[in-house]
């Protein structure tokens, strides 16, 4: 289970369509104790969220990795004050993308869907964040190591042995040195922090797969479609409206704006976010209850890695 699916699965809630008219839980479907009434994405809590790195925690880890990687580079005579590793994490970037699966009413009136998840360029990083420092010729092997360097047989840089997985791998190894992983993560191709996050991503994917089969999910999709039809817009589900090919224009058209406003208005009127949020919470809680020991191990592991990252940033991490 790739980490991207952790959040990408949430986008499926917008894209998938439904056809059932039931509003009560079917056999095996959880009873909802309450349904919130959010007016923006992200206002409903997630039981699996505590086991993921927050945006701030992810930044701390990425900055520490970059600092240690640049220290490694200096041993080879390569010095730079600019980051050599990405400082925009997967969690933060995809959280932002999924936030844009719901267009708030003011944005809908001004931009239609042009700032939604249907337009990836709306969430692109600033040019400064995308730029990488210029490194000496052949120095790329120092970043990723000779094991990861496609087509490269060299294992040295200017006559010195390069770490097998480069300065990136050395930085990660320092931050996780001596820390034990849950057995379920050790078997993953991307063990460590990424593997632990992928494990949680898999649990969320399972929860969302179950949610997409819930009668109440299909009911709210059907009611949304009927609401849109009353405004003169024929779409089976919110994803179809958001990704209408007619919106692929430099600027939003009047038709796009009218559709986006109707979409958001219907979602708010039907408490779409509240119903989806309550269902997701219920199915995620099932995953937490079934996997509590391993999730607690993941959280302990992440906290210790973050502790090492904080030490690294303050020059206190032992060699």
């Amino acid at each position: 289970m790739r980490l991207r699916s952790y959040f990408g699965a949430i986008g499926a809630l917008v894209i998938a369509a439904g056809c059932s008219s039931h509003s009560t839980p079917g056999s095996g479907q959880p009873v909802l104790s309450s349904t919130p009434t959010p007016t923006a994405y992200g206002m409903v809590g997630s039981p699996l969220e505590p086991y993921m790195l927050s945006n701030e925690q992810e930044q701390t880890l990425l900055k520490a990795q970059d600092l240690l990687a640049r220290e490694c580079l200096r041993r080879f005579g390569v010095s730079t004050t600019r980051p050599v590793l990405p400082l925009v994490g997967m969690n933060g970037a995809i959280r932002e993308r999924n936030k844009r699966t719901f267009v708030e009413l003011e944005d809908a009136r001004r931009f239609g869907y042009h700032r939604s998840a249907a337009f990836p360029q709306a969430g692109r990083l600033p040019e400064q964040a995308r730029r990488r420092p210029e490194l000496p010729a052949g120095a790329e092997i120092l970043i990723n190591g000779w094991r990861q360097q496609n087509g490269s047989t060299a294992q040295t840089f200017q006559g010195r042995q390069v770490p097998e997985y480069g300065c990136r791998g050395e930085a990660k190894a320092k931050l996780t040195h001596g820390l034990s992983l849950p057995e379920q993560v050790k078997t993953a191709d991307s063990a460590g922090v990424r593997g632990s996050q992928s494990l949680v991503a898999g649990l969320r994917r399972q929860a969302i797969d179950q949610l997409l089969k819930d009668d109440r999910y299909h009911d709210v999709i059907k009611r949304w479609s009927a609401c849109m039809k009353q405004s003169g817009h024929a779409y089976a589900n919110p994803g179809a409206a958001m990704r209408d090919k007619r919106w692929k224009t430099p600027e939003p058209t009047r038709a796009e704006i009218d559709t986006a406003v109707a979409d958001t208005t219907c979602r708010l009127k039907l408490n779409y976010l509240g119903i989806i949020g309550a269902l997701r919470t219920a199915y995620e809680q099932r995953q937490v209850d079934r996997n509590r020991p391993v999730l607690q191990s993941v959280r302990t592991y992440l906290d210790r890695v973050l502790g090492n990252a904080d030490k690294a940033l303050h020059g206190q991490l032992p060699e």
Side-chain angles (χ1 to χ4, degrees), residues 122-172:
R124 292 185 67 189
L125 303 175
E127 178 63 28
Q128 184 177 4
R130 296 199 302 270
R131 286 204 316 259
R132 294 290 180 84
E134 294 183 3
L135 298 175
E140 279 298 321
I141 193 174
L142 292 175
I143 301 294
N144 297 313
W146 53 268
R147 180 72 69 178
Q148 301 291 327
Q149 199 76 1
N150 294 333
S152 174
T153 57
Q155 299 183 16
T156 61
F157 176 76
Q158 296 181 353
R160 299 184 61 186
Q161 182 69 34
V162 173
E164 183 176 4
Y165 293 98
C167 290
R168 182 197 302 267
E170 181 179 296
K172 291 181 179 179

Side-chain angles (χ1 to χ4, degrees), residues 63-72 170-171 174-175 312 317:
K63 289 177 181 178
Q65 288 179 352
D66 178 71
L67 176 66
L68 294 173
R70 284 187 283 120
E71 289 179 357
C72 170
E170 181 179 296
K174 285 186 175 182
L175 292 174
L317 188 67

Side-chain angles (χ1 to χ4, degrees), residues 1-3 5-6 52 197-205:
M1 174 58 62
R2 294 184 179 274
L3 180 58
S5 67
Y6 162 68
M52 298 297 293
Q197 300 292 265
S198 293
L199 183 144
V200 182
L203 298 180
R204 174 159 282 177
R205 175 74 256 185

Side-chain angles (χ1 to χ4, degrees), residues 50-127:
Y51 306 101
M52 298 297 293
L53 289 172
S54 67
N55 292 359
E56 182 180 359
Q57 291 169 340
E58 193 172 46
Q59 280 295 298
T60 295
L61 182 59
L62 292 172
K63 289 177 181 178
Q65 288 179 352
D66 178 71
L67 176 66
L68 294 173
R70 284 187 283 120
E71 289 179 357
C72 170
L73 287 174
R74 282 197 290 272
R75 296 205 313 270
F76 291 86
V78 177
S79 181
T80 176
T81 57
R82 293 189 58 194
V84 294
L85 299 181
L87 294 183
V88 178
M90 180 75 75
N91 289 17
I94 303 182
R95 276 191 185 103
E96 177 59 28
R97 186 192 71 185
N98 286 320
K99 179 181 177 182
R100 293 186 289 109
T101 59
F102 175 76
V103 181
E104 296 189 23
L105 198 54
E106 182 178 347
D107 281 347
R109 288 169 175 155
R110 296 178 61 192
F111 309 110
Y113 290 113
H114 268 59
R115 290 195 174 183
S116 74
F119 290 80
Q121 69 271 19
R124 292 185 67 189
L125 303 175
E127 178 63 28

